[in-house]
Amino acid sequence: MNYTLEGHEQKHAVEEMLFHLLPTVTLTRADMVGQGDWCRSILTEQNGEAIGRAVVCMDGVTREAVRFAPIEGLTPLAYKRAITELVKMSIYDALAPALPQPPVWGSLTGVRPAKLARGLIERGMSRGEAAAYLREHFYVSAPRAALTIRAAATAIELDRAIGKDDISLYIGIPFCPSRCYYCSFVSSTTALSGHLIEPYLDVLCREIAETAALVREAGKRVQSVYIGGGTPTTLDETQLARLLDTLANHFDFSHLLEYTVEAGRPDTITPGKLRVLRAAGVGRVSINPQSMDDKVLAAIGRLHSAGDVLRTYDEARQAGFAAINMDVIASLTGDTAESFTSTVETLIGLAPENITVHTLAIKRGADLSDKAAAAAQRDIVSRMLDSAAGALQKAGYGPYYLYRQKFTAGGFENVGWCKPDMACFYNVAMMEELQTILSLGAGGVSKRVDRQTGWIERTNNPKYPLEYIQAACRLADGKRKLLFPNK
């Protein structure tokens, strides 16, 4: 689809809405529309009012929509937000009637819908009023609005436990025994990059020591730790113990509320590694089957079976873990609505404290080049997610955090479900941007959150293991700037 911008340069807003509504098309900005499908986004201003107009041609049918917004007296930031929403909503109004059915998330394109809802509640709306606003203003479906409000309520509750000097840590281990075909994380297989694990661990331990010194100097307290990947349990017992000991020897964990390690893949988990984790004070682990169908596991590149998941889960319980998360993914290759439902029911039978239901993020256009295929996949994913939500709520789980990604199959979401009082603190703090989070390791993105203004600043570590190793001498520079912004 070609698109033009007339009277403005809100390229990102236009593309974001078009991607949201038409995830399988290729977008091209043009000086003027031509043949085929196209979109014109037009912005004008007069008498203290902005006027957004969108004209869209789809399958030979042209539709037009107009929106208005008052802009007189707005601050620059408020003006930018008003214009961005105006551009997006005019395109939504023009294009949504051309779709077989509207997206369940309506016109919302952001990855953090609960953060939006939390803002509405904190500015004085009741939860019911905030839910109604999501439905009526952004056209969010009733079930998704309800999910969003419940996640926002959890964030509001956990936010009360965060003091002005509290922070969290993320430590990334970007290695896996094999690479799943859908993976979008920075990770390397041990077959290709196993020789980098030891030098990577050397640099990571150095970064831990340097970051801990900065945290002490800044007077910050560590409230939660999350070790993710990749697959942290790709490390052997000795390497894992070294990492955990380095963290304990340099950081003060006396105020720690939660310590999570994403053990992840059952083929990397052993009783010995579980003992190492427990001895270090780790209280929460993830054991992520993604599916409990062996054919699906083989198709996505996993090296474990459903039986391995059951064995590893039992070993984790025997090791003393009282908080276990298990991930599943809707819309994997070879999975059906029935087999996905069976996976969820099996996990519910195990009774982990958290079950996270992801929607597969697809490469735009891959295997979905025609509208019939896209519609069919959307319907299947909808059945999968609705079935999972119903079963989980019936079993006593509630949604505690959610987020969205571009190009998820059917435009759906990822939801963390938990038993009462078993929400993962780090997941909420990170996704809702409640506090400063320092990220160590390759690909880490650290954020300083000003809890008074909401202003966020970021600094990135080098993305890949080798680049990270080569940057050992300057890894602390960005974190120093975040922790000491006025120096």
Side-chain angles (χ1 to χ4, degrees):
M1 169 179 278
N2 292 331
Y3 70 91
T4 62
L5 308 182
E6 303 173 34
H8 69 92
E9 282 298 320
Q10 293 286 323
K11 177 177 181 289
H12 179 72
V14 170
E15 289 193 347
E16 196 169 49
M17 182 56 72
L18 290 175
F19 281 147
H20 172 57
L21 298 174
L22 303 169
T24 64
V25 304
T26 299
L27 299 178
T28 303
R29 181 175 178 178
D31 294 328
M32 58 187 300
V33 296
Q35 301 298 315
D37 295 343
W38 49 263
C39 171
R40 294 175 60 203
S41 177
I42 306 155
L43 184 68
T44 56
E45 298 180 14
Q46 61 182 27
N47 301 323
E49 189 173 52
I51 305 161
R53 186 162 73 97
V55 187
V56 176
C57 179
M58 283 281 293
D59 299 327
V61 178
T62 301
R63 296 174 175 85
E64 183 174 344
V66 180
R67 286 253 179 168
F68 303 87
I71 55 173
E72 189 171 0
L74 295 181
T75 64
L77 180 58
Y79 171 82
K80 181 180 179 181
R81 288 174 175 169
I83 293 303
T84 299
E85 182 173 319
L86 190 67
V87 167
K88 286 184 175 182
M89 293 301 296
S90 62
I91 294 173
Y92 181 89
D93 290 345
L95 186 51
L99 304 178
Q101 61 189 64
V104 294
W105 284 102
S107 64
L108 284 186
T109 60
V111 300
R112 296 179 173 86
K115 186 176 181 180
L116 169 64
R118 179 163 52 88
L120 297 174
I121 295 170
E122 291 174 342
R123 289 192 292 273
M125 286 190 183
S126 68
R127 294 181 188 179
E129 289 169 339
Y133 187 83
L134 294 177
R135 295 192 305 267
E136 296 165 9
H137 186 78
F138 294 108
Y139 313 121
V140 177
S141 72
R144 264 61 190 187
L147 277 178
T148 303
I149 296 302
R150 292 185 67 178
T154 299
I156 291 171
E157 180 181 351
L158 293 185
D159 187 48
R160 299 189 184 104
I162 301 174
K164 65 182 182 67
D165 292 321
D166 291 332
I167 66 170
S168 287
L169 298 178
Y170 177 87
I171 296 92
I173 306 297
F175 301 97
C176 286
S178 66
R179 188 171 179 85
C180 300
Y181 85 91
Y182 55 79
C183 184
S184 60
F185 291 97
V186 178
S187 63
S188 301
T189 64
T190 52
L192 293 176
S193 302
H195 64 286
L196 293 177
I197 292 180
E198 281 293 342
Y200 179 87
L201 195 56
D202 290 341
V203 175
L204 180 58
C205 288
R206 171 177 171 173
E207 187 186 12
I208 288 170
E210 292 175 343
T211 302
L214 292 174
V215 168
R216 289 193 299 273
E217 184 181 349
K220 303 299 182 182
R221 304 190 314 178
V222 178
Q223 202 165 30
S224 73
V225 178
Y226 193 105
I227 303 179
T231 305
T233 43
T234 299
L235 302 181
D236 63 30
E237 291 180 29
T238 301
Q239 294 164 337
L240 197 57
R242 179 189 176 194
L243 171 62
L244 299 173
D245 287 345
T246 301
L247 284 166
N249 290 337
H250 288 89
F251 282 101
D252 177 6
F253 284 167
S254 61
H255 300 285
L256 209 60
L257 296 179
E258 180 183 86
Y259 199 161
T260 297
V261 172
E262 194 167 296
R265 298 173 56 140
D267 47 308
T268 67
I269 303 171
T270 66
K273 292 179 185 180
L274 292 170
R275 287 193 293 271
V276 168
L277 297 178
R278 285 297 297 134
V282 176
R284 182 177 182 273
V285 292
S286 287
I287 299 171
N288 302 333
Q290 315 303 19
S291 172
M292 292 297 284
D293 186 308
D294 285 344
K295 292 181 180 178
V296 175
L297 292 173
I300 65 175
R302 289 285 199 167
L303 301 180
H304 66 83
S305 67
D308 294 328
V309 176
L310 300 176
R311 171 187 53 77
T312 305
Y313 181 87
D314 184 59
E315 290 170 350
R317 287 300 193 204
Q318 290 183 35
F321 287 97
I324 297 177
N325 172 72
M326 306 188 83
D327 283 6
V328 296
I329 300 178
S331 196
L332 292 172
T333 296
D335 217 357
T336 65
E338 292 73 23
S339 59
F340 181 80
T341 296
S342 178
T343 287
V344 173
E345 290 175 346
T346 299
L347 299 191
I348 289 174
L350 293 175
E353 285 64 38
N354 301 148
I355 295 178
T356 306
V357 181
H358 296 274
T359 304
L360 179 66
I362 56 174
K363 293 181 180 179
R364 185 161 48 90
D367 300 321
L368 289 175
S369 56
D370 64 85
K371 296 175 184 177
Q377 186 179 37
R378 183 187 61 240
D379 291 344
I380 291 172
V381 176
S382 179
R383 288 170 55 197
M384 289 177 169
L385 298 181
D386 290 348
S387 173
L392 286 162
Q393 292 183 82
K394 185 177 179 180
Y397 291 83
Y400 76 93
Y401 90 115
L402 64 89
Y403 66 99
R404 303 176 63 222
Q405 295 169 275
K406 287 184 178 179
F407 316 134
T408 51
F412 292 102
E413 67 286 328
N414 308 303
V415 182
W417 298 82
C418 69
K419 291 183 176 181
D421 302 319
M422 293 303 297
C424 174
F425 176 89
Y426 174 84
N427 282 341
V428 177
M430 177 271 298
M431 190 51 58
E432 296 302 310
E433 299 178 319
L434 299 179
Q435 66 176 178
T436 294
I437 294 179
L438 302 181
S439 294
L440 290 68
V445 180
S446 297
K447 296 181 183 181
R448 182 176 70 85
V449 178
D450 187 319
R451 286 175 54 78
Q452 295 297 317
T453 66
W455 183 257
I456 296 172
E457 293 186 29
R458 296 172 173 83
T459 185
N460 298 357
N461 275 357
K463 188 173 183 179
Y464 298 105
L466 183 58
E467 295 172 345
Y468 172 80
I469 292 167
Q470 294 170 341
C473 62
R474 54 184 173 85
L475 292 172
D477 294 349
K479 295 179 182 63
R480 176 173 288 280
K481 292 177 181 177
L482 288 186
L483 292 172
F484 302 96
N486 298 320
K487 290 185 179 181

